[in-house]
Amino acid sequence: MGTVQDVSRIFKNIATAHLQIQTFYENNFDELDINKIPSNGYPLMYAQVTNAQVDAQFTRLDFDLVVADIVFEEQAEIINNVLSSTLLIVQDVIAELHLAASQTSPISNPNYTVDLPFTCSPFQFRFDNMLFGWSTNISINVPLPSNLCDALIA
């Protein structure tokens, strides 16, 4: 069995293990205050559960995933570099989740699977500076043992 908390922990572990990701956030991206993030806190990764679908054999948990970096006004010419590097990070996260199914990873749960393909969309948020990166929706299937012995029903 897997919970939202279990999957969130996997995202956090991926972010911690990744050599480029500096900060991990979860929950509401709209409430992210970039003014409180130090300049060495980028690139950042964010994951928020958005949906759950329960089936007979598994629960599908949908997460919005965002990888972003900051570009200061005087560095506007490096926007394509930032988009390239943040897309590569998203692909690393996807690879980690996908390859865990073949039990090649100590970070992810090999009993969880992901739905392919992924559609990644570039974005730009304008705060005092510019936040650029990619977002995607990741669906993770976690086992759902139909077991009345474990149900908390008297």
Side-chain angles (χ1 to χ4, degrees):
M1 188 162 91
T3 66
V4 171
Q5 187 175 18
D6 295 334
V7 177
S8 291
R9 191 175 305 114
I10 288 172
F11 281 117
K12 183 176 183 175
N13 291 342
I14 292 171
T16 300
H18 198 280
L19 298 177
Q20 289 177 284
I21 299 170
Q22 299 301 312
T23 315
F24 174 74
Y25 296 94
E26 52 190 342
N27 301 323
N28 194 345
F29 187 71
D30 294 333
E31 295 175 7
L32 184 68
D33 187 353
I34 70 164
N35 293 320
K36 293 183 180 177
I37 301 171
S39 60
N40 63 352
Y42 297 95
L44 62 85
M45 184 171 107
Y46 160 84
Q48 175 187 359
V49 65
T50 58
N51 193 37
Q53 182 179 355
V54 180
D55 201 344
Q57 301 297 322
F58 63 89
T59 298
R60 188 179 90 189
L61 298 171
D62 296 330
F63 279 80
D64 279 341
L65 178 76
V66 172
V67 175
D69 204 347
I70 197 161
V71 176
F72 298 98
E73 295 290 336
E74 60 274 5
Q75 299 175 316
E77 69 279 357
I78 67 165
I79 291 171
N80 282 337
N81 291 344
V82 169
L83 288 174
S84 293
S85 65
T86 51
L87 181 59
L88 288 171
I89 294 170
V90 169
Q91 291 171 335
D92 291 344
V93 173
I94 291 169
E96 172 63 36
L97 293 168
H98 179 65
L99 293 177
S102 63
Q103 300 186 12
T104 61
S105 169
I107 296 172
S108 298
N109 187 322
N111 297 315
Y112 298 178
T113 60
V114 293
D115 294 336
L116 296 173
F118 293 93
T119 299
C120 302
S121 301
F123 69 85
Q124 171 189 344
F125 287 117
R126 188 132 177 81
F127 295 99
D128 290 337
N129 296 303
M130 295 182 284
L131 198 59
F132 286 86
W134 293 85
S135 65
T136 190
N137 183 272
I138 295 181
S139 297
I140 299 177
N141 300 308
V142 299
L144 176 70
S146 297
N147 184 343
L148 288 176
C149 293
D150 292 337
L152 298 176
I153 300 173

